[in-house]
Amino acid sequence: MDILLPLFFVSLLAVPESSGLSIKEDYIKKTLQTALNIAQTTLVHIKKLRTKLPAYPEIEVTTPSFEGITSITHDLGLLENELQSPSNELLSQIQTDVSSLEGTVRSLAQTMDCSIKPRTTVGTSDNLFPYSLLYLTLTKVQHYLEQILLNKDKLKVC
């Protein structure tokens, strides 16, 4: 019995270092898949919300280009800030989804040792036209998430 404890510690020391890398790679793959699942789920939530709203005009928005996970994290934080408008209680589920996605992507970036900026918070603007702002925000989020899904390889680089 006295020999089992030292043998256990020796066996731990004998574990190859590559197993740690494998665990990290597995975590990155799972977290990446989680982020993509959240993005897809959020798009479904947006689609459901749009069916409950009155008809809306087509709004054209430009999606910021992103080189990697660092800019995606930043942009998701900005979108989350836009979704936090007090007059847009309809957006609470979408805001929760984007917040969860931003946290997942931030965690992925930290695991990949990417440098990320602290979250920026911006004050919400006065809503003179709340429905216009609602449609604009929904469209921005929708287009951005679609771009993430189309360019998911950008989530693998800093």
Side-chain angles (χ1 to χ4, degrees), residues 49 88 112 137 142:
L49 179 59
N88 285 335
M112 294 170 48
T137 304
Q142 179 180 354

Side-chain angles (χ1 to χ4, degrees), residues 63-75 105 112 114-115 117 144 147-148 151-158:
T63 305
S65 63
F66 42 83
E67 278 85 60
I69 199 165
T70 303
S71 61
I72 294 170
T73 302
H74 174 74
D75 294 338
V105 172
M112 294 170 48
C114 299
S115 64
K117 300 174 187 172
Y144 196 80
Q147 288 302 310
I148 286 176
N151 298 292
K152 57 187 167 199
D153 58 314
K154 298 292 185 181
L155 287 168
K156 298 177 184 176
V157 296
C158 291

